[in-house]
Amino acid sequence: SQTIHQWPATLVQPVGSPLSLECTVEGTSNPNLYWYRQAAGRGLQLLFYSVGIGQISSEVPQNLSASRPQDRQFILSSKKLLLSDSGFYLCAWSGTSKGELFFGEGSRLTVL
Amino acid sequence: AQSVAQPEDQVNVAEGNPLTVKCTYSVSGNPYLFWYVQYPNRGLQFLLKYITGDNLVKGSYGFEAEFNKSQTSFHLKKPSALVSDSALYFCAVRPNSGGYQKVTFGTGTKLQVIP
């Protein structure tokens, strides 16, 4: 069966520090991968998606970036965090470009 | 552009009563429709989907949803609510057309089941 792992679960970082959130998927190959941010426990904002290694599409301009160094690994990064980057970050995968998404357990980032 | 509306910010229902969480959508062409549930500080869990075929879709934990094309709705239902159903529910839509298609989520409806 397929599983998705996301870490760290919780992160407290000072403004201006770097960020790296990691996500890996097991039990499938060539998944579509996604990073979402959920603010205030409600709305989901798509940040990045990837349909293959090295293929990253950005949905919104921001100081975040994403990379996909391996087929089942998706990394969300920032060189310098802003206060506004605080939130709940969710990684997800789908088996096809039209299928349902399967989410990780999330990473809660607090920028102080 | 596609969109999803969940008109109720919160739904309260007594345990044992039927529940409905409403969702309407707007999309070009035919839709793929989804429902997800989120418990506090957890990721979203997939409940059910409509792709094509029977308008009544059955999913996990006794939930079902009815696709109504003329009303562009996809309401989530359960015949008898449990306290453990209390959570945040998201409706989502994706166009049924070629290539990658973005998923659009609603803003969520908080379901509170009262013992």
Side-chain angles (χ1 to χ4, degrees):
Chain A
S1 63
Q2 300 90 359
T3 56
I4 179 169
H5 302 282
Q6 190 179 338
W7 71 94
T10 306
L11 197 60
V12 180
Q13 292 286 96
V15 169
S17 64
L19 171 73
S20 180
L21 300 179
E22 296 195 30
C23 173
T24 59
V25 180
E26 297 178 357
T28 188
S29 59
N30 197 30
N32 291 335
L33 296 171
Y34 310 82
W35 278 111
Y36 283 85
R37 178 167 57 202
Q38 186 177 30
R42 282 299 179 111
L44 289 157
Q45 180 185 36
L46 178 62
L47 301 175
F48 302 94
Y49 69 90
S50 171
V51 298
I53 296 175
Q55 300 178 60
I56 309 293
S57 296
S58 174
E59 286 291 307
V60 292
Q62 61 220 322
N63 71 321
L64 299 171
S65 62
S67 61
R68 185 171 178 172
Q70 300 180 44
D71 181 44
R72 292 169 290 172
Q73 184 183 24
F74 206 25
I75 298 172
L76 183 69
S77 304
S78 174
K79 292 181 179 178
K80 289 185 177 182
L81 284 168
L82 306 173
L83 286 174
S84 58
D85 291 324
S86 294
F88 193 49
Y89 289 82
L90 292 159
C91 181
W93 73 273
S94 66
T96 69
S97 60
K98 300 183 183 64
E100 62 272 26
L101 303 182
F102 297 96
F103 286 83
E105 288 299 308
S107 297
R108 185 164 300 283
L109 171 65
T110 303
V111 182
L112 301 175
Chain B
Q2 63 208 53
S3 64
V4 175
Q6 293 183 243
E8 301 154 317
D9 191 60
Q10 180 162 333
V11 170
N12 296 322
V13 63
E15 186 177 22
N17 282 4
L19 70 87
T20 299
V21 182
K22 296 179 180 178
C23 170
T24 58
Y25 67 91
S26 174
V27 68
S28 297
N30 294 319
Y32 287 158
L33 293 158
F34 309 90
W35 275 102
Y36 296 85
V37 60
Q38 185 181 31
Y39 296 95
N41 297 310
R42 304 291 298 277
L44 278 70
Q45 296 178 36
F46 168 71
L47 278 179
L48 52 80
K49 66 182 177 183
Y50 171 82
I51 302 296
T52 187
D54 194 346
N55 290 342
L56 185 63
V57 179
K58 294 188 182 297
S60 305
Y61 312 119
F63 284 94
E64 58 189 27
E66 186 166 13
F67 171 63
N68 187 316
K69 188 172 183 177
S70 63
Q71 297 185 6
T72 60
S73 67
F74 190 55
H75 301 331
L76 181 70
K77 300 181 180 182
K78 187 174 183 181
S80 179
L82 301 173
V83 173
S84 57
D85 293 329
S86 299
L88 188 57
Y89 290 81
F90 289 94
C91 181
V93 67
R94 198 172 202 170
N96 178 2
S97 56
Y100 169 78
Q101 296 294 337
K102 178 181 174 181
V103 179
T104 298
F105 286 86
T107 53
T109 297
K110 183 177 180 181
L111 174 66
Q112 190 74 37
V113 181
I114 303 164

